[in-house]
Structure formats: structure tokens, C-alpha cells
């Protein structure tokens, strides 16, 4: 495939602007994670024939609200009329995906739906994910700095089939959340159920 045919032009000065913004807003570790997710998302986009530049930008910005306080995120939700469900109220670790999507749309004026939705669903996943949503979901978990017990299993599955890697990661998340008595977001369950019902094998 000719990569340039599958690449949206995002000017370098915007990417530089995003990087300096992230440097200000994130801890050093989270900033390095964001750069690594961008690289991993671009690598996967090239292999899977998605838009390389869009995936790079989505990877870069996916955690842009991760280091915001709860108060700042709740303020953003109320400003944009977002009502949280009871499960969401009890799950602050998923808030940064929503606040990040709101922030890039309304503050950074990014109007690309693939970038917005891949950030919106990067923590939970959802039923019937698009290729961009799948790429950011899994790039977040397989970037070069990630170091959790099963990371090599997920990377090996990813070489074979992105859905297999995602379902493995979802199972891990479901086990961990239930072991910790944490609420499971319906989108996490929907993502799992959809892949179980629609994948031939995993
Ligand atoms: O932001 P990162 O750390 O890079 O990764 P992430 O956006 O995937 O966030 C992971 C956190 O989100 C982790 O603490 C587990 C939590 N999480 C994922 N799915 C759910 C969830 N928390 C709740 N309560 N419910 C979910 O369905
Ligand atoms: Fe995140
Ligand atoms: Fe992340």
C-alpha cells in the first residue's frame, strides 16, 4: 500500500503544539507513555492500512486529561452537559477518556471523528469497534514501555490478529476489576460480548 494515500495531512506545527501541551499537562512518565502510544498506533496503522497520521495524533493525545483532577474533569462534563451514569460516577479511572475526547474536540478544535471516538473509548472499548478505536485501545496496552505480567502474550497475539489481542486484554481487565470489587462499565462488557459472538476463534 502507498502510505501517503492513507494519510491525512496534519501540519508538523500542530503536532509540535500538541507535544508541548502534553509536556505541560502530564507527568514525565505519562508524557513518555503518550509518545510511545503514538508510535505504536502509527506502526499498527501502517500494517492494518489505517490512517497513519491520524492514529499517531490519537495516540499522542489519548491520555491528555489523565493527570487532571476529578474536579477539573467533572467541571468539563458539566460545561458540556455530559451526565454520568451511576457506574461512571463510581469509576473515576474511565473519566479521562471522556474528558480527553471533550477536550480535544472543544479546546483543541479537532473535528476528526476517528480521533475523537478512539480517545473516547480507549479505556473501556465498546461493541463493534472501528479499526481506529481498536488500534488506540491496543496500542495503549502494547507500547514499548508497557510492562505488566502478560504484556508479551498480548504483543504475540497482536502479531497474529488485533481482535485476539483485544479480547485477551478485555479478559484481563474484567478479571482484575472483579477481583478488586470495582464496577465494570457496560462498554467493557459490550466489547467483550461483541468479540466473543463475532470472532471465529480466539
Ligand atoms: O490511561 P492508561 O493507564 O494508559 O490506561 P487506560 O486508559 O486503559 O486506563 C486503565 C484503567 O481504567 C485501569 O485502572 C482500569 C480502568 N478500567 C478499564 N475498564 C474499566 C475500568 N474501570 C472501571 N471501573 N470499569 C471498567 O470497565
Ligand atoms: Fe488512558
Ligand atoms: Fe494510556
Amino acid at each position: 500500500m502507498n502510505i501517503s494515500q492513507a494519510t491525512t495531512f496534519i501540519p508538523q506545527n500542530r503536532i509540535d503544539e500538541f507535544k508541548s501541551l502534553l509536556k505541560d499537562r502530564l507527568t514525565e512518565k505519562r508524557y513518555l507513555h503518550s509518545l510511545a502510544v503514538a508510535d505504536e498506533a502509527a506502526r499498527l496503522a501502517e500494517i492494518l492500512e489505517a490512517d497513519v497520521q491520524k492514529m499517531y495524533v490519537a495516540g499522542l493525545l489519548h491520555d491528555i486529561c489523565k493527570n487532571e483532577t476529578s474536579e477539573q474533569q467533572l467541571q468539563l462534563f458539566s460545561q458540556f452537559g455530559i451526565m454520568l451514569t451511576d457506574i461512571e460516577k463510581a469509576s473515576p479511572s474511565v473519566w479521562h477518556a471522556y474528558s480527553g475526547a471533550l477536550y480535544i474536540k472543544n479546546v483543541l478544535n479537532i473535528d476528526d471523528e476517528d480521533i475523537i471516538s478512539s480517545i473516547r473509548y480507549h479505556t473501556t472499548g465498546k461493541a463493534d469497534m472501528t479499526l481506529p478505536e481498536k488500534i488506540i485501545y491496543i496500542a495503549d496496552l502494547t507500547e514499548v514501555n508497557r510492562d505488566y505480567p502478560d504484556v508479551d502474550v498480548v504483543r504475540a497475539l497482536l502479531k497474529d490478529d488485533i481482535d485476539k489481542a483485544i479480547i485477551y486484554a478485555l479478559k484481563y481487565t474484567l478479571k482484575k476489576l472483579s477481583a478488586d470489587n470495582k464496577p465494570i462499565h457496560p462498554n467493557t462488557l459490550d466489547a467483550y460480548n461483541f468479540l466473543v459472538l463475532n470472532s471465529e476463534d480466539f
Side-chain angles (χ1 to χ4, degrees), residues 30 33 37 62-63 66 87 90-94 96-97 122-125 137 140-141 146 173-174 176-177 182-189:
R30 186 61 52 181
H33 164 70
V37 174
H62 79 288
D63 273 342
K66 182 82 178 185
I87 290 176
S91 309
S93 54
V94 310
H96 73 286
H122 86 266
T123 302
T124 58
Y137 181 89
D140 190 17
L141 302 175
R146 279 287 194 197
T173 300
L174 290 168
K176 177 95 179 78
L177 290 170
K182 293 217 172 117
I184 293 168
H185 194 282
N187 285 340
T188 305
L189 284 171

Side-chain angles (χ1 to χ4, degrees), residues 15 18-19 22 34-35 37-38 55-63:
I15 292 175
F18 298 153
K19 286 186 185 169
L22 288 165
S34 302
L35 294 179
V37 174
M55 291 298 88
Y56 183 85
V57 169
L60 201 57
L61 296 174
H62 79 288
D63 273 342

Side-chain angles (χ1 to χ4, degrees), residues 22 36 82 86-87 89 91 99 101 107 115 160 162 174 189 202:
L22 288 165
I82 304 295
D86 286 346
I87 290 176
K89 283 180 196 156
S91 309
S99 53
V107 181
I115 299 178
D160 179 28
I162 193 168
L174 290 168
L189 284 171
F202 48 82

Side-chain angles (χ1 to χ4, degrees), residues 88-107:
E88 288 165 347
K89 283 180 196 156
S91 309
S93 54
V94 310
W95 294 358
H96 73 286
Y98 302 157
S99 53
L102 283 175
Y103 185 91
I104 66 145
K105 183 172 179 172
N106 297 288
V107 181

